[in-house]
Amino acid sequence: MPLFLDRHHVPGATAEDVAAAHTADVGVQAGHDVRYLTYWFDADACTVFCLAEGPNAKAVEDVHREAHGLLAASIVEVEPGPVQAFLGAFPTHPVGTAYVAAAVRAVLFTDICGSTELTQRLGDRASTELVHEHDVIVRGALLAHSGREVKHTGDGIMASFDLVSQAVEAAIDVQRSMAARNADADTPFELRIGISAGEPLADDGDLFGATVQLAARLCAASAPGGISASVAVRELCIGKQLGFEPADPVGLKGFAEPTTCYEVRWA
């Protein structure tokens, strides 16, 4: 059965209010052939994301309408694999339990600098070995900092993190490991990394659209050996022992205005 993720704006709602609404959903869902699986409630952002199985978006919305009348601002059909990769383990609290679980995630992209030139210069086999070295380093950092690989891009990896600070720490580990690798390597190569943070649903209803696009564009704009982070990443890491340097606003493909970003200190 199709899977749907919806977003609600709930100013003033408490964890108990949201738990009661979810209980009401579960109470009437069978009449619409829908099953509400879980939700994420961010009290600070006043947002709720609900995950449900159903025949179509209308049926999922009809449950909310009958149960309590609190309709979602947006709803999209999603694939289980990508949703699990981004959001990680779903909350499994018993129905009626009041809890808070933010849906904000960090998205990280890595990219091998000059990968096409490396392939032309070294040949397919040697360049593939470099990609494998990249994969080992990046996946090791993901494992150490609770990151989840979303997909391999051919010359990089896209990953998701529950905690924004863990994404930055993983990026730092990657660049430090690359520097150690290059210190005595016959064929040194460099990576660039971009990190952004946001909620699952973009304003246009596209799953993870804006967050993913910004991370990818920051990665492409980063200097070789650099880590570029969005303003949201820097703000969500306040109080952590992580260093950020303001960078000049950059023009990013698909973004109408120059984008403010930060460079993460790692050396």
Side-chain angles (χ1 to χ4, degrees):
M1 188 171 290
L3 191 66
F4 296 89
L5 187 69
D6 69 20
R7 182 185 191 277
H8 301 258
H9 183 51
V10 290
T14 66
E16 290 74 19
D17 294 334
V18 177
H22 180 64
T23 300
D25 288 330
V26 172
V28 303
Q29 63 186 9
H32 301 272
D33 196 23
V34 169
R35 185 165 71 102
Y36 269 85
L37 303 174
T38 191
Y39 65 86
W40 293 261
F41 170 50
D42 188 331
D44 293 332
C46 300
T47 56
V48 178
F49 290 87
C50 302
L51 187 69
E53 293 177 335
N56 50 57
K58 182 180 182 302
V60 171
E61 185 177 53
D62 285 344
V63 172
H64 282 331
R65 181 177 288 106
E66 179 181 345
H68 43 64
L70 302 174
L71 302 184
S74 58
I75 180 170
V76 293
E77 184 174 348
V78 297
E79 294 293 332
V83 165
Q84 190 87 41
F86 276 103
L87 293 177
F90 299 155
T92 56
H93 304 279
V95 174
T97 301
Y99 66 91
V100 175
V104 170
R105 295 293 183 267
V107 177
L108 176 151
F109 275 88
T110 67
D111 179 61
I112 297 174
C113 300
S115 58
T116 301
E117 186 275 331
L118 285 171
T119 300
Q120 294 296 318
R121 176 162 58 88
L122 302 175
D124 289 340
R125 176 169 295 182
S127 62
T128 298
E129 290 175 358
L130 296 185
V131 172
H132 175 70
E133 288 191 67
H134 155 275
D135 294 349
V136 170
I137 289 173
V138 173
R139 287 168 177 157
L142 297 184
L143 181 63
H145 297 281
S146 302
R148 296 178 296 278
E149 182 174 340
V150 177
K151 66 178 180 180
H152 199 286
T153 62
D155 53 4
I157 282 176
M158 174 185 175
S160 173
F161 296 78
D162 293 351
L163 297 179
V164 178
S165 60
Q166 290 181 325
V168 178
E169 291 164 352
I172 290 171
D173 277 3
V174 167
Q175 294 294 25
R176 287 178 176 169
S177 295
M178 283 299 303
R181 181 260 177 211
N182 286 335
D184 57 0
D186 293 334
T187 307
F189 69 101
E190 293 182 293
L191 306 182
R192 51 173 60 93
I193 299 175
I195 312 171
S196 69
E199 293 181 332
L201 295 178
D203 289 339
D204 61 1
D206 183 21
L207 181 65
F208 298 98
T211 303
V212 169
Q213 291 163 7
L214 180 55
R217 298 293 186 256
L218 287 172
C219 180
S222 181
I227 304 170
S228 294
S230 68
V231 172
V233 169
R234 196 272 181 191
E235 291 178 346
L236 290 168
C237 287
I238 290 176
K240 305 293 185 181
Q241 297 300 308
L242 299 167
F244 293 85
E245 293 288 346
D248 292 334
V250 293
L252 302 178
K253 182 180 179 181
F255 290 79
E257 300 292 334
T259 301
T260 300
C261 62
Y262 290 84
E263 288 299 316
V264 179
R265 295 195 299 270
W266 63 265

Short mmCIF file of all heavy atoms in Angstrom, two decimals, residues 1-28:
data_model
loop_
_atom_site.label_atom_id
_atom_site.label_comp_id
_atom_site.label_asym_id
_atom_site.label_seq_id
_atom_site.Cartn_x
_atom_site.Cartn_y
_atom_site.Cartn_z
N MET A 1 0.85 -1.20 0.00
CA MET A 1 0.00 0.00 0.00
C MET A 1 0.88 1.24 0.00
O MET A 1 1.93 1.26 0.67
CB MET A 1 -0.92 -0.01 1.23
CG MET A 1 -1.97 1.08 1.21
SD MET A 1 -3.21 0.90 2.52
CE MET A 1 -4.08 -0.54 1.92
N PRO A 2 0.51 2.30 -0.70
CA PRO A 2 1.34 3.52 -0.75
C PRO A 2 1.56 4.12 0.63
O PRO A 2 0.75 3.96 1.55
CB PRO A 2 0.51 4.46 -1.63
CG PRO A 2 -0.34 3.58 -2.46
CD PRO A 2 -0.65 2.40 -1.59
N LEU A 3 2.68 4.83 0.74
CA LEU A 3 3.09 5.46 1.99
C LEU A 3 3.05 6.97 1.80
O LEU A 3 3.51 7.48 0.78
CB LEU A 3 4.50 4.99 2.35
CG LEU A 3 5.04 5.30 3.75
CD1 LEU A 3 4.23 4.54 4.80
CD2 LEU A 3 6.51 4.89 3.83
N PHE A 4 2.51 7.69 2.80
CA PHE A 4 2.37 9.14 2.70
C PHE A 4 2.97 9.82 3.93
O PHE A 4 2.86 9.31 5.05
CB PHE A 4 0.90 9.53 2.56
CG PHE A 4 0.25 9.02 1.31
CD1 PHE A 4 -0.36 7.77 1.29
CD2 PHE A 4 0.29 9.76 0.14
CE1 PHE A 4 -0.95 7.28 0.14
CE2 PHE A 4 -0.29 9.27 -1.03
CZ PHE A 4 -0.91 8.03 -1.03
N LEU A 5 3.57 10.99 3.69
CA LEU A 5 4.10 11.82 4.75
C LEU A 5 3.44 13.19 4.66
O LEU A 5 3.45 13.81 3.58
CB LEU A 5 5.62 11.96 4.62
CG LEU A 5 6.37 12.67 5.75
CD1 LEU A 5 6.35 11.83 7.03
CD2 LEU A 5 7.82 12.95 5.34
N ASP A 6 2.84 13.64 5.75
CA ASP A 6 2.21 14.96 5.71
C ASP A 6 2.82 15.89 6.76
O ASP A 6 3.50 15.44 7.68
CB ASP A 6 0.69 14.87 5.86
CG ASP A 6 0.23 14.44 7.24
OD1 ASP A 6 1.01 14.55 8.21
OD2 ASP A 6 -0.93 13.99 7.38
N ARG A 7 2.56 17.18 6.58
CA ARG A 7 3.14 18.20 7.46
C ARG A 7 2.02 19.11 7.98
O ARG A 7 1.20 19.60 7.21
CB ARG A 7 4.16 19.05 6.72
CG ARG A 7 4.85 20.12 7.55
CD ARG A 7 5.74 20.99 6.67
NE ARG A 7 6.61 21.86 7.44
CZ ARG A 7 6.24 23.04 7.93
NH1 ARG A 7 5.01 23.49 7.73
NH2 ARG A 7 7.09 23.78 8.62
N HIS A 8 2.03 19.31 9.31
CA HIS A 8 1.07 20.20 9.96
C HIS A 8 1.81 21.33 10.66
O HIS A 8 2.89 21.12 11.23
CB HIS A 8 0.26 19.45 11.03
CG HIS A 8 -0.52 18.28 10.53
ND1 HIS A 8 -1.87 18.32 10.31
CD2 HIS A 8 -0.13 17.01 10.23
CE1 HIS A 8 -2.30 17.15 9.90
NE2 HIS A 8 -1.26 16.33 9.83
N HIS A 9 1.23 22.51 10.63
CA HIS A 9 1.72 23.62 11.44
C HIS A 9 0.79 23.74 12.65
O HIS A 9 -0.42 23.93 12.48
CB HIS A 9 1.72 24.93 10.64
CG HIS A 9 2.28 26.10 11.39
ND1 HIS A 9 3.50 26.05 12.03
CD2 HIS A 9 1.77 27.33 11.63
CE1 HIS A 9 3.73 27.21 12.61
NE2 HIS A 9 2.69 28.00 12.39
N VAL A 10 1.33 23.59 13.87
CA VAL A 10 0.49 23.48 15.07
C VAL A 10 0.97 24.44 16.16
O VAL A 10 1.43 24.02 17.22
CB VAL A 10 0.48 22.03 15.59
CG1 VAL A 10 -0.29 21.12 14.66
CG2 VAL A 10 1.91 21.50 15.77
N PRO A 11 0.84 25.75 15.94
CA PRO A 11 1.27 26.71 16.97
C PRO A 11 0.50 26.51 18.27
O PRO A 11 -0.73 26.36 18.26
CB PRO A 11 0.97 28.07 16.33
CG PRO A 11 -0.04 27.79 15.27
CD PRO A 11 0.26 26.43 14.76
N GLY A 12 1.23 26.46 19.37
CA GLY A 12 0.60 26.32 20.68
C GLY A 12 0.29 24.90 21.09
O GLY A 12 -0.13 24.66 22.23
N ALA A 13 0.48 23.92 20.22
CA ALA A 13 0.17 22.53 20.56
C ALA A 13 1.20 21.96 21.53
O ALA A 13 2.39 22.32 21.50
CB ALA A 13 0.12 21.68 19.30
N THR A 14 0.76 21.09 22.39
CA THR A 14 1.64 20.39 23.32
C THR A 14 1.82 18.94 22.86
O THR A 14 1.08 18.45 21.98
CB THR A 14 1.06 20.39 24.73
OG1 THR A 14 -0.16 19.61 24.73
CG2 THR A 14 0.76 21.81 25.21
N ALA A 15 2.77 18.26 23.47
CA ALA A 15 2.97 16.85 23.15
C ALA A 15 1.72 16.04 23.45
O ALA A 15 1.38 15.09 22.72
CB ALA A 15 4.16 16.30 23.93
N GLU A 16 1.01 16.42 24.51
CA GLU A 16 -0.24 15.72 24.86
C GLU A 16 -1.32 15.96 23.82
O GLU A 16 -2.08 15.04 23.48
CB GLU A 16 -0.71 16.18 26.24
CG GLU A 16 0.15 15.72 27.41
CD GLU A 16 1.47 16.46 27.52
OE1 GLU A 16 1.59 17.57 26.92
OE2 GLU A 16 2.38 15.94 28.19
N ASP A 17 -1.38 17.18 23.29
CA ASP A 17 -2.36 17.48 22.23
C ASP A 17 -2.11 16.62 21.00
O ASP A 17 -3.06 16.06 20.41
CB ASP A 17 -2.27 18.95 21.83
CG ASP A 17 -2.68 19.91 22.92
OD1 ASP A 17 -3.47 19.51 23.80
OD2 ASP A 17 -2.19 21.06 22.92
N VAL A 18 -0.86 16.52 20.61
CA VAL A 18 -0.52 15.76 19.40
C VAL A 18 -0.78 14.28 19.63
O VAL A 18 -1.29 13.57 18.74
CB VAL A 18 0.95 16.02 19.00
CG1 VAL A 18 1.33 15.17 17.80
CG2 VAL A 18 1.16 17.50 18.69
N ALA A 19 -0.44 13.78 20.82
CA ALA A 19 -0.69 12.37 21.13
C ALA A 19 -2.19 12.07 21.08
O ALA A 19 -2.60 11.01 20.58
CB ALA A 19 -0.12 12.02 22.50
N ALA A 20 -3.00 12.99 21.55
CA ALA A 20 -4.45 12.79 21.53
C ALA A 20 -4.98 12.78 20.10
O ALA A 20 -5.87 11.98 19.76
CB ALA A 20 -5.13 13.89 22.35
N ALA A 21 -4.44 13.67 19.26
CA ALA A 21 -4.87 13.71 17.86
C ALA A 21 -4.49 12.41 17.15
O ALA A 21 -5.27 11.87 16.36
CB ALA A 21 -4.25 14.91 17.16
N HIS A 22 -3.28 11.91 17.43
CA HIS A 22 -2.85 10.66 16.81
C HIS A 22 -3.75 9.50 17.27
O HIS A 22 -4.12 8.63 16.46
CB HIS A 22 -1.39 10.38 17.18
CG HIS A 22 -0.85 9.12 16.59
ND1 HIS A 22 -0.71 8.92 15.24
CD2 HIS A 22 -0.40 7.97 17.17
CE1 HIS A 22 -0.20 7.73 15.00
NE2 HIS A 22 -0.02 7.13 16.16
N THR A 23 -4.10 9.49 18.54
CA THR A 23 -5.01 8.46 19.05
C THR A 23 -6.35 8.51 18.32
O THR A 23 -6.93 7.47 17.97
CB THR A 23 -5.23 8.65 20.56
OG1 THR A 23 -3.96 8.56 21.24
CG2 THR A 23 -6.18 7.58 21.11
N ALA A 24 -6.85 9.73 18.08
CA ALA A 24 -8.12 9.88 17.36
C ALA A 24 -8.00 9.37 15.93
O ALA A 24 -8.93 8.74 15.40
CB ALA A 24 -8.54 11.35 17.38
N ASP A 25 -6.84 9.64 15.28
CA ASP A 25 -6.61 9.13 13.93
C ASP A 25 -6.70 7.60 13.91
O ASP A 25 -7.37 7.01 13.05
CB ASP A 25 -5.24 9.56 13.43
CG ASP A 25 -5.16 11.04 13.08
OD1 ASP A 25 -6.19 11.61 12.68
OD2 ASP A 25 -4.06 11.61 13.20
N VAL A 26 -6.01 6.99 14.85
CA VAL A 26 -5.98 5.52 14.89
C VAL A 26 -7.38 4.97 15.14
O VAL A 26 -7.74 3.90 14.64
CB VAL A 26 -4.99 5.06 15.99
CG1 VAL A 26 -5.08 3.55 16.20
CG2 VAL A 26 -3.56 5.46 15.61
N GLY A 27 -8.18 5.72 15.87
CA GLY A 27 -9.52 5.25 16.19
C GLY A 27 -10.45 5.18 15.00
O GLY A 27 -11.41 4.39 15.02
N VAL A 28 -10.22 5.99 13.97
CA VAL A 28 -11.14 5.99 12.82
C VAL A 28 -10.48 5.51 11.53
O VAL A 28 -11.14 5.42 10.49
CB VAL A 28 -11.71 7.41 12.59
CG1 VAL A 28 -12.41 7.90 13.86
CG2 VAL A 28 -10.63 8.39 12.16
#
